[in-house]
Amino acid sequence: MSETLVPFDEVVERFDPALGLEIHVELNTNTKMFCGCPAVFGGEPNTQVCPTCLGLPGAMPVVNGKAVESAIRIGLALNCEIAEWCRFARKNYFYPDMPKNFQTSQYDEPIAFEGYLDVTVPDENGGEGETFRIEIERAHMEEDTGKSSHVGGSDGRIHGADYSLVDYNRAGIPLIEIVTKPILGTGDKAPLVAKAYVSAIRDLIVALGVSDARMDQGSIRADVNLSLAPKGSGVLGTRSETKNVNSLRSVERAVRFEMSRHAGILDAGGSVLQETRHFHENDGTTSSGREKSDAEDYRYFPEPDLVPVAPSREWVEELRATLPENPAVKRTRLQGEWGFTDLEMRDTVGAGALDLVEQTVAAGAAPQAARKWWLTELARRANDAGVELTELAVTPAQVAAVQALVDAKTINDKLARQVFDGLLAGEGTPEEIIAARGLAVVSDEGALSAAVDKAIAENPDIADKIRDGKLAAAGALIGAVMKEMRGQADAGRVRELVLEKLS
Amino acid sequence: MSELIKKTAAELAGALAAGETTSVELTRAHLDRIAAVDGTAESGVHAFLHVDAEGALAQAAASDARRAAGQSRHLLDGVPIAVKDVLATQGLPTTCGSKILEGWVPPYDATVVRRIKEAGLPILGKTNMDEFAMGSSTEHSAYGPTRNPWDQTRIPGGSGGGSAAAVAAFEAPLALGTDTGGSIRQPGAVTGTVGVKPTYGGVSRYGLVALANSLDQVGPVTRTVLDSALLHELIAGHDPLDSTSVDAPVGSYVAAAREGAKGDLAGLRVGVIKELAGDGWQPGVMERFAETVDLLKELGAEVTEVSCPTFVHAMATYYLILPAECSSNLAKFDAMRYGLRVVPEGDPSAEAVMKATRDAGFGDEVKRRIMIGTYALSSGYYDAYYGQAQKVRTLISRDFAAAFEGVDVLVSPTSPTTAFPLGEKLDDPLAMYLQDLATIPANLAGVPGISVPAGLAAEDGLPVGFQVLAPALADDRLYRVGAAVEAALTQRWGGPILGEAPTLEGPR
């Protein structure tokens, strides 16, 4: 079916978007939500199952206390109220990857409710960003379903497949679903706000340490609800729900596309269908999910096999005390302390180096030096090795130690790179590597002076230029000296000697 | 017929301890009895859906070896038992009386099954039941009805007719049942046996294929009150696998039964529930009930009439809560992982397979309750039906609480009638549901109840049950009162009531 898409700029001139985001976070508990099976990713299909998570007749659920703890910590980090008493409920619908044909979830009694999260959308012109307060309706606990794979179809979808396989390893893994209230007033920032919110949730989850937080592996999954209303009308339009949008960029694109699509339908006098949609990474479009919409009657009722969850206020306060600093607040604080520009800060965060830089600074390095090593030399090596920065065999303490040697002029930046080579090769401490590889800067003034004299003698033209006051030409002589010294000289001292001799 | 099978479980335990018999001998005696009288779906008692002769004899031999080595695990080690087919038994078929689970062999044991295995009780087999425990006659079993040993043209009660009939027909000294609205007590009443529904949460439900999770409870089915107490103590107690199981010490049921059997109920306050009598109650049932109440007075109890006005709404409440829960519980039977699988011609899609399998695999009563429950939970009807039923349920609990402020136990007839002829109520679900009028309130409130034989109704010569109800976690009172009634009546009759039952002939 062809769709008329309205250009984004026109959409925001005539319509007000309303966003709603539902984020599922897979917790990293050792065991599943309601049984003792391991909750790890990547096992052979159907090896991490038991009577309970397979929904065998007679089996019963038992609540995972660690998952409740994680849920409360997430709720607290989102500034939510924590329920004094809440229950699980059954969400009834038939699907082959749901072992019991109901999902044990929470309905009208979530563990956490009425919170908010402030997110900042960066200004594209480099100015100060705009902050939006996202109101959180609820965060509740539930179990994941199994995973279906459809074999023989064109694109892995159920339509046209020859048969389907179901892996129940994932069935019963604890999930926290975080639901926003309708997010209004974002205008042309709607796609960026959606992206910034998902990003902020991910950062928060990472800081809490409650999930692997890997969008690419599905441990954080976002559903994007969007509706449009005529500008200034103050009403809410009919929404579409785009499921399982699996990267930050996709969140932004999905919102943008749906806005254009909705506007096209509304402009033509049509009405938007309340339905589930799929997002396509390849072209940034969405398509109808063919599944029944969420207007389906799930016949929720309290799970009779479980007793209510009633976290004591003392426990909630103990958990509140364990909360890490809010990542956004922390970022602002560190930027101030380090004196980074917005761009430097964004690059640092973007490279996943914030914690590494912080630890390197804590180990004694200057912030700019710490940033420089992690974002250039070490980022390149991580990229070459195809690993995350955090997985590199160099610790923040070692980086700080190398920088201390640079500061002491024992080595220079170029030699420091060779020290990192040694560290990555496991050759010992920076000092051991310098000794073993003979990397220390030559501090023998006689040898240095002789090398400068030699360079001046071999480059009379350049020497003349410097004598004439063209100091920029000194670089060429310094380079020649450094080459002569095989890099083991303090470039600053070489420059001083060159200028002294030619003044 | 071996005289061993007439003995109570306590007597068999004594004989084993005294070295007068072996577990193999008495297990074989019960297996012989099953072979002689149990018959088939077409004739005979048909209490069993599956008999595990080989397994039971192996367990018996192991028990004898333990005993010889001085390592018996429990008083009942070596005494055989039958298990209702709604409890998961590792390696033994578990059908719940339904075609949809035909051939399913669980890979795990229900907690109660594990406990009886660990105590060394050989499992004779799995007993018949109404499909998924829905019914009061065992006629809704997909594998044919069980017949009442007192009159094989009549129902043995339900849903646990198989366990009650097995015990009444001396095919097993002990059985496990489950009681959601009377499925242990009503079969006990109409077969002249003893059945106990423990306090909700008193016995683990892990491995009990749920009918209605908030009402179900596993309990003992035996011929004497003492035997029920022995079995109850064995299966009771907290289970970390069942979140609704009560984390409290198990009561002294055996001691209470022994105390009660002495016949002194001085000071006991008994309330007769006014609402559980009247039109539609069989005169012979009411006669035996009145006689038993008089007996309690003779034993020293103070008897008063107590009103529980909300009990008249118990039936309606029950038939909203139960279908709601079971409509969800039974959703898992979809042919995807186990059990029956029907693939319709030309459409092997998951949805079509689910529909066809459920259509073929579930019986009419099951479908009826799934439909009622699905409706009751539907958006727009939830408050009017399920929500309202939960409120009435609370009121019923309050009636119990108020009544127990003035009395120690409440009493009523267990069932309004004696065993009725097979087929009589099969086409009239409401008439069938009325069988559980007196037993349902206890399930709604979670309180424990026992049914003990009160004699035979004058008009048909069939057994009548006397129900005793106690506050939650006061199950010991059931045993004290039940044992006192049993001792006095047995003395009056000159022997156990089952002595009056006809001698069964094996099918020719």
Side-chain angles (χ1 to χ4, degrees):
Chain A
M1 190 182 74
S2 71
E3 282 164 329
T4 311
L5 298 177
V6 177
F8 187 78
D9 291 348
E10 288 179 33
V11 177
V12 295
E13 270 171 33
R14 289 183 285 118
F15 294 99
D16 287 331
L19 282 169
L21 289 143
E22 293 171 20
I23 298 183
H24 288 88
V25 178
E26 234 177 47
L27 298 181
N28 59 359
T29 49
N30 292 329
T31 56
K32 292 186 179 181
M33 187 73 225
F34 299 115
C35 65
C37 289
V40 294
F41 180 83
E44 284 291 305
N46 297 311
T47 54
Q48 294 158 6
V49 292
C50 73
T52 295
C53 60
L54 275 180
L56 294 190
M60 294 178 71
V62 175
V63 175
N64 180 337
K66 188 73 186 172
V68 175
E69 180 184 304
S70 295
I72 293 173
R73 294 182 71 230
I74 290 173
L76 290 171
L78 292 170
N79 305 294
C80 286
E81 303 285 324
I82 303 301
E84 296 193 17
W85 190 91
C86 67
R87 287 183 292 188
F88 286 93
R90 293 185 182 180
K91 180 181 184 178
N92 294 287
Y93 65 100
F94 283 83
Y95 205 78
D97 63 17
M98 266 215 312
K100 298 165 292 184
N101 284 321
F102 61 79
Q103 181 187 29
T104 308
S105 179
Q106 293 194 286
Y107 180 47
D108 50 1
E109 298 165 351
I111 182 91
F113 52 94
E114 296 292 328
Y116 64 86
L117 185 65
D118 289 333
V119 302
T120 301
V121 176
D123 186 308
E124 280 165 4
N125 303 319
E128 200 163 299
E130 190 177 352
T131 297
F132 292 85
R133 171 153 295 190
I134 310 297
E135 292 189 59
I136 308 290
E137 182 174 295
R138 55 190 283 151
H140 71 246
M141 301 177 278
E142 61 184 30
E143 58 181 339
D144 210 342
T145 61
K147 201 175 166 79
S148 301
S149 25
H150 307 294
V151 182
S154 55
D155 55 356
R157 294 197 184 278
I158 190 167
H159 189 69
D162 293 334
Y163 60 92
S164 302
L165 298 170
V166 187
D167 177 8
Y168 293 102
N169 284 354
R170 199 181 69 176
I173 294 209
L175 291 180
I176 305 299
E177 181 175 341
I178 303 165
V179 183
T180 66
K181 292 184 178 176
I183 304 166
L184 306 171
T186 54
D188 64 344
K189 296 278 193 345
L192 294 175
V193 169
K195 178 185 174 186
Y197 170 73
V198 177
S199 172
I201 291 282
R202 190 190 60 179
D203 290 348
L204 198 68
I205 296 301
V206 168
L208 288 166
V210 294
S211 168
D212 299 340
R214 294 282 299 266
M215 289 190 84
D216 57 331
Q217 289 184 357
S219 53
I220 291 188
R221 309 196 281 272
D223 300 343
V224 178
N225 294 345
L226 181 106
S227 67
L228 293 183
K231 201 163 184 76
S233 66
V235 299
L236 282 176
T238 303
R239 71 175 189 272
S240 61
E241 181 175 355
T242 307
K243 288 280 195 191
N244 293 339
V245 188
N246 287 333
S247 74
L248 295 177
R249 181 163 169 267
S250 297
V251 169
E252 180 184 343
R253 293 169 83 205
V255 172
R256 201 173 283 274
F257 179 82
E258 280 297 285
M259 285 173 71
S260 293
R261 189 182 68 86
H262 281 223
I265 295 169
L266 296 171
D267 277 353
S271 43
V272 173
L273 196 62
Q274 183 173 330
E275 63 174 349
T276 296
R277 300 193 60 91
H278 291 301
F279 181 72
H280 304 286
E281 299 276 351
N282 52 349
D283 59 2
T285 65
T286 69
S287 63
S288 178
R290 280 182 231 274
E291 290 153 28
K292 289 170 194 144
S293 74
D294 60 0
E296 188 177 0
D297 187 349
Y298 291 123
R299 289 172 283 118
Y300 281 101
F301 72 105
E303 167 56 78
D305 274 341
L306 291 172
V307 293
V309 174
S312 75
R313 295 301 96 180
E314 292 76 20
W315 188 38
V316 171
E317 290 315 308
E318 277 171 32
L319 294 178
R320 196 190 299 279
T322 69
L323 290 185
E325 187 177 8
N326 176 292
V329 172
K330 177 179 178 180
R331 210 167 292 165
T332 309
R333 173 177 64 79
L334 290 177
Q335 186 176 352
E337 288 174 13
W338 294 345
F340 282 12
T341 65
D342 284 354
L343 186 66
E344 286 170 343
M345 198 64 192
R346 208 181 304 162
D347 288 348
T348 305
V349 172
L354 189 71
D355 289 346
L356 296 169
V357 170
E358 188 188 12
Q359 289 160 27
T360 307
V361 171
Q368 288 293 1
R371 186 187 65 77
K372 181 189 68 184
W373 289 125
W374 285 110
L375 263 61
T376 56
E377 192 60 27
L378 294 170
R380 184 176 60 72
R381 289 158 193 270
N383 194 41
D384 290 348
V387 298
E388 297 290 318
L389 263 185
T390 48
E391 294 166 328
L392 217 52
V394 175
T395 67
Q398 288 171 332
V399 174
V402 169
Q403 181 58 35
L405 293 166
V406 173
D407 292 342
K409 301 194 190 302
T410 306
I411 52 173
N412 55 26
D413 281 7
K414 198 173 172 188
L415 291 170
R417 289 181 200 135
Q418 295 184 51
V419 177
F420 285 126
D421 287 339
L423 286 169
L424 287 168
E427 293 172 14
T429 67
E431 288 82 358
E432 285 163 1
I433 293 163
I434 289 166
R437 292 193 172 203
L439 297 177
V441 169
V442 175
S443 50
D444 177 348
E445 282 282 321
L448 209 53
S449 183
V452 171
D453 291 342
K454 185 175 175 220
I456 290 170
E458 285 173 1
N459 299 283
D461 298 353
I462 296 172
D464 286 344
K465 282 183 184 169
I466 296 170
R467 286 192 188 95
D468 292 347
K470 291 180 181 163
L471 297 188
L477 280 186
I478 296 167
V481 174
M482 293 304 281
K483 194 176 175 190
E484 174 71 20
M485 299 297 293
R486 298 204 316 277
Q488 287 172 256
D490 177 356
R493 181 66 192 137
V494 174
R495 181 183 174 84
E496 282 171 16
L497 284 174
V498 168
L499 296 182
E500 252 172 49
K501 289 176 192 280
L502 298 177
S503 61
Chain B
M1 183 174 79
S2 165
E3 280 308 303
L4 276 174
I5 62 169
K6 291 291 182 77
K7 290 184 185 298
T8 69
E11 289 166 351
L12 293 175
L16 284 169
E20 294 162 11
T21 185
T22 64
S23 179
V24 168
E25 184 184 13
L26 60 93
T27 299
R28 198 182 298 281
H30 285 96
L31 290 169
D32 289 347
R33 176 68 171 176
I34 293 168
V37 306
D38 205 54
T40 64
E42 285 72 38
S43 67
V45 177
H46 194 228
F48 284 86
L49 291 178
H50 181 85
V51 176
D52 183 26
E54 198 181 326
L57 287 169
Q59 290 166 323
S63 171
D64 288 336
R66 280 195 297 275
R67 192 171 295 279
Q71 290 171 343
S72 276
R73 293 174 183 162
H74 189 270
L75 188 69
L76 294 175
D77 192 339
V79 178
I81 189 168
V83 175
K84 190 179 180 183
D85 206 30
V86 73
L87 293 163
T89 42
Q90 186 169 4
L92 280 187
T94 300
T95 68
C96 301
S98 180
K99 284 288 178 198
I100 211 159
L101 271 180
E102 190 164 22
W104 183 58
V105 179
Y108 78 107
D109 277 327
T111 296
V112 288
V113 170
R114 185 172 52 74
R115 286 191 179 164
I116 61 173
K117 279 185 178 174
E118 284 172 0
L121 285 74
I123 295 174
L124 296 166
K126 304 298 289 288
T127 58
N128 200 5
M129 56 186 282
D130 286 296
E131 184 174 4
F132 287 109
M134 297 182 198
S136 306
S137 69
T138 317
E139 292 167 288
H140 292 306
S141 168
Y143 303 97
T146 296
R147 283 167 278 271
N148 194 321
W150 288 79
D151 176 347
Q152 294 197 33
T153 69
R154 289 177 185 264
I155 61 106
S159 66
S163 282
V167 169
F170 302 102
E171 295 174 83
L174 299 167
L176 287 177
T178 61
D179 189 312
T180 306
S183 289
I184 287 175
R185 290 163 289 161
Q186 181 257 9
V190 301
T191 58
T193 57
V194 176
V196 176
K197 182 204 95 72
T199 297
Y200 183 77
V203 178
S204 170
R205 291 187 295 114
Y206 186 80
L208 156 61
V209 182
L211 168 54
N213 325 58
S214 73
L215 301 163
D216 295 341
Q217 206 34 212
V218 183
V221 175
T222 64
R223 290 191 294 270
T224 70
V225 173
L226 179 61
D227 284 357
S228 273
L230 286 164
L231 183 53
H232 190 168
E233 279 192 19
L234 170 57
I235 61 175
H238 182 245
D239 177 10
L241 297 177
D242 174 1
S243 304
T244 66
S245 91
V246 178
D247 195 358
V250 176
S252 303
Y253 311 137
V254 173
R258 293 195 194 283
E259 181 62 29
K262 292 175 186 168
D264 181 6
L265 296 180
L268 181 83
R269 298 169 304 163
V270 176
V272 175
I273 303 169
K274 186 178 142 197
E275 284 74 15
L276 299 182
D279 288 349
W281 292 70
Q282 192 176 319
V285 168
M286 294 315 295
E287 264 173 41
R288 292 286 85 83
F289 175 67
E291 200 176 88
T292 309
V293 170
D294 287 342
L295 177 67
L296 292 175
K297 291 177 190 164
E298 288 167 29
L299 298 176
E302 300 162 19
V303 179
T304 53
E305 191 179 72
V306 169
S307 176
C308 295
T310 60
F311 283 16
V312 298
H313 302 300
M315 178 71 62
T317 303
Y318 178 81
Y319 276 103
L320 285 170
I321 291 172
L322 178 143
E325 292 183 10
C326 87
S327 71
S328 172
N329 289 333
L330 297 184
K332 64 169 68 78
F333 300 100
D334 63 359
M336 292 298 120
R337 295 165 303 282
Y338 46 76
L340 185 70
R341 184 181 183 94
V342 178
V343 181
E345 192 78 30
D347 186 358
S349 72
E351 192 176 334
V353 169
M354 284 183 186
K355 276 185 184 164
T357 302
R358 290 167 68 79
D359 186 34
F362 287 141
D364 287 348
E365 182 62 23
V366 173
K367 288 176 182 165
R368 180 155 40 231
R369 297 198 195 186
I370 290 174
M371 284 189 279
I372 294 171
T374 302
Y375 186 77
L377 288 175
S378 295
S379 167
Y381 296 97
Y382 181 93
D383 290 341
Y385 294 122
Y386 189 77
Q388 194 69 6
Q390 291 292 10
K391 289 179 192 163
V392 178
R393 185 175 189 174
T394 303
L395 297 179
I396 289 168
S397 292
R398 284 187 194 158
D399 269 3
F400 267 115
F404 284 128
E405 277 177 23
V407 298
D408 300 310
V409 294
L410 292 166
V411 298
S412 77
T414 307
S415 173
T417 71
T418 55
F420 50 85
L422 287 161
E424 186 183 271
K425 299 184 199 294
L426 208 46
D427 296 325
D428 187 351
L430 287 178
M432 185 79 87
Y433 296 170
L434 287 172
Q435 278 293 302
D436 297 329
L437 206 58
T439 44
I440 280 173
N443 298 82
L444 288 170
V447 303
I450 189 172
S451 178
V452 294
L456 306 179
E459 56 271 58
D460 54 20
L462 291 169
V464 171
F466 183 80
Q467 176 176 240
V468 184
L469 303 171
L473 298 176
D475 305 49
D476 56 324
R477 293 183 200 172
L478 308 179
Y479 289 104
R480 182 178 170 215
V481 178
V485 167
E486 177 186 66
L489 287 178
T490 305
Q491 191 176 28
R492 186 176 292 178
W493 301 327
I497 194 77
L498 280 167
E500 303 293 316
T503 304
L504 294 178
E505 301 294 335
R508 277 182 286 273

